[in-house]
Structure formats: structure tokens, C-alpha cells
Amino acid sequence: MSAKAAKWIFYLGTLISLLIFLGLTVDTHRQVQTLTHADQLSEQVVAGKRVWHKYNCNDCHTILGFGAYYAPDMTKVYWRRGEEGIKAMVRTPEKLTTWRKMPHFPLTEQELTDLVAFLKWTSEIDTHDWPPQDAKLRRTAQAAVAMAVSPGAALFKDKGCFGCHRMNGTGGTLGPDLTHAGGRLSRATIAKILENPRSVNPQGIMPPPSLNPDERNQIADFLAGQK
Amino acid sequence: MPATHPSQRVAYPYFVVALLLFVLQVLVGTWLAVNYWASLPQWLVDVLPFSTARAIHTNLLVLWLLLGFMGSTYYLVPDETGRELLSPGLAYLQLVILAGTGVVGIVGFLFGWTKGKPLLELPHPLDYLIVIGALMFLFNVGMTMLKARNWTAIQGSLLGGLVFLALLYLFDLPFYRNLTIDWYYWWWVIHLWVEGAWELVAAALTAWILLKITGVNRAVVEKWLYVELGLFLFTGIAGTGHHYYWLGAPRYWLWVGGFFSALEPLPIVLMLWDAWQHVKERQIPIRNRLVFTYAIGMAIFHLVGAGFWGFAHTLPQINYYTHGSQVTAAHGHVAFFGAYVLLNLTFFYYAMPELKGISRFSERRGRITFWWMCLAMLGMGLSFSISGVLQTYIERVMGLGFMTAQAQMRFWFAVTWVLGLILLVGVILTVVDLLTLGPAPHADERA
């Protein structure tokens, strides 16, 4: 190969790659508006992102798969745990972790609410079905709901109950399996738990779900029917 | 031939500071490994979170590698241009600013003073100080080259890489409202550094060292330098797309990232082949065999860590399951060690004896610690990878919980920790060796 050819490889190789990259960057900026639902990127979400940075969450947790690999990925955490689940973990990590621990961080209630807004917005970014385990959870949860169509079942999914509870093999393992909840607990007990979990089990770690009385009744009906 | 230009001496303190930070970096790394397998008490986790230690580990890495590159550049430039550095005083001041900023930053991390972006945690105004330090460096090096008017491809590659490096850092400075855009430009710093700007610097330093130790024809070395740079940039720039698969960007990045990054091993293979050819066809006798060992070891480890380990999980079909797992950690460790740690050490083993006026140094200790470090890091790469495969299967394929997978990986974290301790000892011995180099016992100093 001549020295001249070598120089051509350098100039052309660099230029071609650079042009492709910059061109696609311009187009990506356009498409990201839709892919990330940028219209829902409120001031509260941005405030939550600042909280995320302030406490250096990203040097233990990944988000979009980036960061440190020490703790679970936060991209779809809102699907797994819901608002109350996230808040409980930040407020009382010592109750919800085992051998690998999460530190206490002095978040104010406002910061915590902002952080949840940020994570909720993040969970709706179109990541082409990544991460696989969360995509699978959402698919099976939707299938489980479709099997037992009722407003209570839909609420059970939307309120993030699957984050901690399993039904028919789907969901988290932090709380008890509710596949046969109606066989073990009366409807009245279920309703009481939904209003204030500690009134039934004072040692429990379940945070009080934010439900209005109608929603509470519908979920209680649904669960009481799972014999 | 000892260093002939007095201003090359500014390189020495850069090397010393870099080496001390290297030891500290690996030390903190072993603490991180403890966090992975042990169950620490809550009070300790509250006082020193993993996140803080991790920020220290990664920032020390970046800082010492950059200081090493800068020192190497200051050593190379007077020799290559035939002219003294514009201002040695400015170079010392720059070292004080950069090292001082690093120390303040690390102490700040301990008190929660952070920008909260992985690897780029240095908060305002410390990051501006880094920019000032980088500008002083570019001014000093650039003006020396400009005044010398003795351009070579090595100088061009080096200066181009350094300017590119500094420009890219600017993308770290703004606050991005959209998380996806934030990470999009985070990779302009991180990926385009390690697979772009730093490769330019590395290729220039490697070419120069090969020229010095083998005495082969400059035209041949520089010709291959052009080809390597062309391939590095062709695959590396658009190859940034392999980080854009799952962050909320359009789907075409799966094709672009997959295609270009699949080609990324090519320039590294060429670099190894090219280094091997030059060594085989050397025109001058070998003075210090250890420098050759390091140069070839670096080229091989670069290919293994960046090339093979990178290729293993760069295709989107695989990356869907391995992204953000211990597989990434495995690749990161082996690649940084192979590509940039060994490059710096190669340069130090070439330049530090010259700066001390030692023609042939005693290399028995250095040879042992070279193999010690390389084997320890290879072992770490494997144990990280086993953890990564377990995590990929249990968490990503089977869909079980994060901690369920971590419990199964715990044994391999402990193995990684032990290997990390072995590495730490090897690193300390290497640094001691470099700082106390002496002449070879039977060397004919005037040979």
C-alpha cells in the first residue's frame, strides 16, 4: 500500500463515519421527542432528575442500563414497585433490603415526590422492550389481567401491586402470593388491609396504597374472588 | 540514549503522580469488590455508600490515565519536534491544578459533593478547572509544535487526539433536561474518548515508541499509523451507536451500532500485526527487553479486552440480554487495562529510565510484576464474566429478580475480590519498581 492510499483511508474513513453519525444525531433529536414523550417532561420531572443526580443514585443503580451494576436497574422501576413502593424503599431501606443494603438518604418529601415523577416518566421511554425482565413482567401482568377481566384486576395492575405480590406466577416476591387470596382472607379483611395494612399486621412492611374508596372496593372484590 | 532535551524532565512528576493515583485507584477497587460479596452493616453503608467509593475509583482511573498521557506527551514532543517545550513552568502549574482538582474532588465525593453523573461526577466549578488545565496543556503542546514547524504524522495524530479529547469534554458541562439526551451526549464524552480521541493518542504514542525502540523506517510506521487511525475513526465514531440501542433512540441505531462496532476489532488487529512486524524487522539492537514485552503485551491485551470482550456483547441480539450487567464490567476492566493502563506503563518503562540517565535498567523485578498484573487482570476478566453470564441468564432470560441473580453470583464476586487483591500487590510492586529503577548489574553503560 502506498502512503497516499493510507492517507485516503484516513480522510475518507473519518469523514464517512462522521457524516453518518452527525446526520443520524440530527434525526435522533427529532425522534426522541416522541420516543421519550417529551411533551410530558414537566418541571417536576426535571426536578426529580436533579434529585437523582444530587444523591448520586446512578453510581449504584443503572438507568437505561447505564451507571453502576451494584443495584437494580431503575428504567422501569415504576412498573415494578409503583409510587408507594419506591417511596418505602427510599424512606426505610433497612426494612426492604437483605444482605446488600441501600443507604439512608435524607430526601425531603418534596424531593421524593419529584423523584417518583422522574422515574414514572422514565418508565414510559420507548426502550425497544429493554430490559427483557421488565418487558416480560409487563406482558405477563397484562395477560393475567386479561384472564380475569374486572375493574379491580385492572386497578391491581395499574397501582403497581404486582411489584411486590405474585398472582399465577407473575409479579414480585416481597409481599405474599395473592393467587388464592380470597381463600385465605375474608373480603372485609382484604378491605381493611387495603385501607391500612398495619391495622391487620402491625409488623408489616406494606405501605398504605393510595386508593379512593371506590378503587378499594373494586380491588377487594377482585381479590376476594381469587379462591 | 538518555533524554536529550531538558524540558522533557517535566514528564517525570506527571508519571509519579499518575502512578500513585493508580495504586489508590486499585485499592479503592478492592473495597468495591468487598461491597459486592460481603454483607456490610447499615451504619457503614450510610457513612460510605458504594456509590461514593465507585465515583472515587472511576475518577482516579480517568485522572491518572490522563496525567500519564500528558506526561508522555511532554516527554515525546521535544524529541519529536526537536524543540524545547514552550513553557515547562506552565506544565508544572498545570499538574498542580489538575492533581489538586482531583484531590479536592475526591474529598468532595466523601461529603456528597457530586454532579451525580457516572464517571463525570466532578461538580461545577471543579470541571471548569479541568477545562482550564486541559487548555493550558493544549496551548503548551500546540505552540511548541507550531513554533517548531516540523510536522509529522505522529504529532498530528497526537495533537488531533488531544484537541478532540478536550472538545468532547465540553459536552459534559451543560445540564440536560431529557434523560435520553443526557445519556446520548454522555457517550460523546465517554465512548468518543476511549474509542476515538484516546485511540488517536494511543496510536501516536505507540508509533513513536516503536520508532524509538526498533529504529524502523519512519515512513513505514507513519503509513500504518494513517491506516490505523482511519479504521479507528471509521469504526469508532459511528460505532458510538452500540450505546444507543436501548436508551430511547430510533431503532436504526441497532443496525448502525451493530455494523460499525462489529468492525471495531479490525484496527486493533492491525495495530498488533504492525507492532509485531516492526519488532521483527528492527534495525537497532534491543536495549531493554521489558519495553518490548510491555509493547507487545499491550497490543495483545488491547485486542483481547477491547476487541474480543467488546465484540462479545456488541451485537444488539446479545446486548439486549447483557446490557448493563457484569458482562459490561468485565469488558470495562479488561479493555481499560489492556488499552490504556499497559500503554501508560509501556511509556513509563521507556521514558523513566531515560529521564534518570539509565541506558539499560535491571528488569528482573519488572518482568515478574508484568506477568503478575496481566494474569491477575485476566483472571478478573474471567470471574467478572462468569458473574455476567449468570446474571444474564438468571435475571434477563429467566426474568427472576435482581437480588436472586446476585445471590447466585456472590461466590464469583468473592473470587474477583481475591484476584483484585493479587492485582493490587502486583500494581504496588510495579510502581515501586518504576520509582526505583536501577542500572542492570552487568550493563555496559556506554554501549
Side-chain angles (χ1 to χ4, degrees), chain B residues 97-110:
Chain B
I97 289 177
L98 290 177
T101 305
V103 171
V104 172
I106 284 159
V107 175
F109 292 157
L110 291 170

Side-chain angles (χ1 to χ4, degrees), chain A residues 17 25 27 29 49 59 129, chain B residues 121 176 182 185 234 252 320:
Chain A
S17 199
T25 295
D27 183 70
H29 266 282
K49 183 169 182 282
D59 262 329
D129 265 348
Chain B
E121 290 93 343
Y176 299 94
D182 195 349
Y185 287 108
F234 179 70
Y252 51 67
Y320 181 65

Side-chain angles (χ1 to χ4, degrees), chain B residues 418-437:
Chain B
V418 171
L419 289 164
L421 288 175
I422 295 173
L423 177 74
L424 175 64
V425 175
V427 168
I428 292 173
L429 293 177
T430 303
V431 170
V432 169
D433 184 49
L434 273 166
L435 294 179
T436 60
L437 283 175

Side-chain angles (χ1 to χ4, degrees), chain B residues 198-217:
Chain B
W198 289 24
E199 292 279 14
L200 295 189
V201 175
L205 296 179
T206 308
W208 184 79
I209 287 229
L210 285 173
L211 208 56
K212 283 283 160 189
I213 61 177
T214 63
V216 293
N217 187 344

Side-chain angles (χ1 to χ4, degrees), chain A residues 99-100, chain B residues 33-39 326 379-380 382-388 390-391 394 403-420:
Chain A
W99 56 278
R100 187 175 298 168
Chain B
V34 171
N35 279 260
Y36 265 101
W37 66 262
S39 188
Q326 292 295 326
M380 279 175 69
L382 292 173
S383 62
F384 266 122
S385 296
I386 295 172
S387 304
L390 285 171
Q391 183 178 12
I394 298 171
M403 285 310 294
T404 311
Q406 296 289 312
Q408 303 302 318
M409 296 148 72
R410 214 167 156 180
F411 171 75
W412 293 100
F413 291 139
V415 172
T416 309
W417 172 65
V418 171
L419 289 164

Side-chain angles (χ1 to χ4, degrees), chain A residues 1-29 31-33 35-38 41-43 45-47 49-50 52-73 75 80 93-95 97-105 118 121-122 125-137 139 166 173, chain B residues 32 35-42 45-46 49-52 54-55 58 112 114-119 121 175-188 192 200 219 222-227 229-231 233-241 243-254 256 260 319-326 328-329 391 395-400 402-404 406-407 410 413:
Chain A
M1 189 189 304
S2 70
K4 205 174 164 190
K7 283 188 186 179
W8 271 106
I9 290 179
F10 170 69
Y11 289 120
L12 272 182
T14 309
L15 197 67
I16 291 171
S17 199
L18 194 64
L19 286 178
I20 293 174
F21 187 62
L22 292 180
L24 293 182
T25 295
V26 172
D27 183 70
T28 297
H29 266 282
Q31 296 207 39
V32 159
Q33 298 301 312
L35 289 165
T36 65
H37 308 281
L41 188 58
S42 63
E43 286 310 314
V45 172
V46 175
K49 183 169 182 282
R50 288 187 191 277
W52 170 258
H53 292 311
K54 179 177 171 187
Y55 295 100
N56 206 18
C57 311
N58 221 166
D59 262 329
C60 283
H61 294 279
T62 45
I63 195 161
L64 299 171
F66 307 125
Y69 319 111
Y70 188 66
D73 186 79
T75 314
R80 296 199 302 269
E94 75 285 356
K95 287 190 176 167
T97 54
T98 55
W99 56 278
R100 187 175 298 168
K101 297 186 179 65
M102 171 163 162
H104 289 98
F105 290 107
F118 166 67
W121 174 83
T122 302
I125 295 175
D126 181 354
T127 53
H128 309 316
D129 265 348
W130 193 89
Q133 68 275 20
D134 291 328
K136 188 174 166 189
L137 173 73
R139 275 198 303 275
R166 290 175 89 76
T173 50
Chain B
L32 293 177
N35 279 260
Y36 265 101
W37 66 262
S39 188
L40 302 171
Q42 184 74 41
V45 173
D46 289 344
F50 176 90
S51 50
T52 303
R54 201 239 187 194
T58 51
T114 173
K115 193 153 60 178
K117 284 171 73 172
L119 276 71
E121 290 93 343
F175 174 80
Y176 299 94
R177 291 166 57 91
N178 187 317
L179 183 72
T180 294
I181 298 293
D182 195 349
W183 282 103
Y184 192 89
Y185 287 108
W186 188 85
W187 286 112
W188 282 40
L192 289 176
L200 295 189
E222 294 203 331
K223 182 179 81 183
W224 288 114
L225 180 61
Y226 271 113
V227 180
L229 295 182
L231 288 177
L233 292 173
F234 179 70
T235 60
I237 295 176
T240 316
H243 300 292
Y244 295 163
Y245 297 158
W246 325 114
L247 57 48
R251 203 171 267 279
Y252 51 67
W253 285 112
L254 273 66
V256 176
F260 283 90
N319 193 262
Y320 181 65
Y321 294 101
T322 57
H323 175 52
S325 72
Q326 292 295 326
T328 318
Q391 183 178 12
E395 187 193 356
R396 309 301 179 73
V397 178
M398 293 173 71
L400 298 177
F402 178 86
M403 285 310 294
T404 311
Q406 296 289 312
R410 214 167 156 180
F413 291 139

Side-chain angles (χ1 to χ4, degrees), chain A residues 11-219:
Chain A
Y11 289 120
L12 272 182
T14 309
L15 197 67
I16 291 171
S17 199
L18 194 64
L19 286 178
I20 293 174
F21 187 62
L22 292 180
L24 293 182
T25 295
V26 172
D27 183 70
T28 297
H29 266 282
R30 267 204 314 252
Q31 296 207 39
V32 159
Q33 298 301 312
T34 324
L35 289 165
T36 65
H37 308 281
D39 52 320
Q40 286 165 38
L41 188 58
S42 63
E43 286 310 314
Q44 191 180 26
V45 172
V46 175
K49 183 169 182 282
R50 288 187 191 277
V51 175
W52 170 258
H53 292 311
K54 179 177 171 187
Y55 295 100
N56 206 18
C57 311
N58 221 166
D59 262 329
C60 283
H61 294 279
T62 45
I63 195 161
L64 299 171
F66 307 125
Y69 319 111
Y70 188 66
D73 186 79
M74 292 287 106
T75 314
K76 309 290 182 190
V77 68
Y78 189 82
W79 295 358
R80 296 199 302 269
R81 300 236 183 242
E83 172 162 4
E84 294 306 319
I86 295 170
K87 286 186 171 175
M89 181 59 102
V90 176
R91 286 193 195 116
T92 54
E94 75 285 356
K95 287 190 176 167
L96 299 168
T97 54
T98 55
W99 56 278
R100 187 175 298 168
K101 297 186 179 65
M102 171 163 162
H104 289 98
F105 290 107
L107 272 76
T108 64
E109 280 304 305
Q110 184 61 48
E111 284 181 326
L112 196 47
T113 309
D114 294 344
L115 181 66
V116 170
F118 166 67
L119 292 172
K120 183 180 182 197
W121 174 83
T122 302
S123 73
E124 294 308 321
I125 295 175
D126 181 354
T127 53
H128 309 316
D129 265 348
W130 193 89
Q133 68 275 20
D134 291 328
K136 188 174 166 189
L137 173 73
R138 179 166 252 203
R139 275 198 303 275
T140 47
Q142 270 161 350
V145 170
M147 277 189 292
V149 184
S150 74
L155 279 169
F156 188 84
K157 179 184 91 55
D158 291 343
K159 294 291 175 183
C161 308
F162 274 119
C164 300
H165 295 287
R166 290 175 89 76
M167 290 189 82
N168 302 313
T170 292
T173 50
L174 205 59
D177 189 317
L178 297 181
T179 311
H180 304 293
R184 287 184 285 119
L185 304 167
S186 69
R187 190 193 172 287
T189 310
I190 295 172
K192 256 180 93 177
I193 294 174
L194 287 170
E195 191 172 357
N196 176 11
R198 295 256 164 105
S199 69
V200 176
N201 174 10
Q203 310 299 322
I205 55 171
M206 173 169 161
S210 54
L211 301 169
N212 63 37
D214 273 351
E215 292 171 332
R216 203 151 53 226
N217 280 329
Q218 286 168 341
I219 295 183

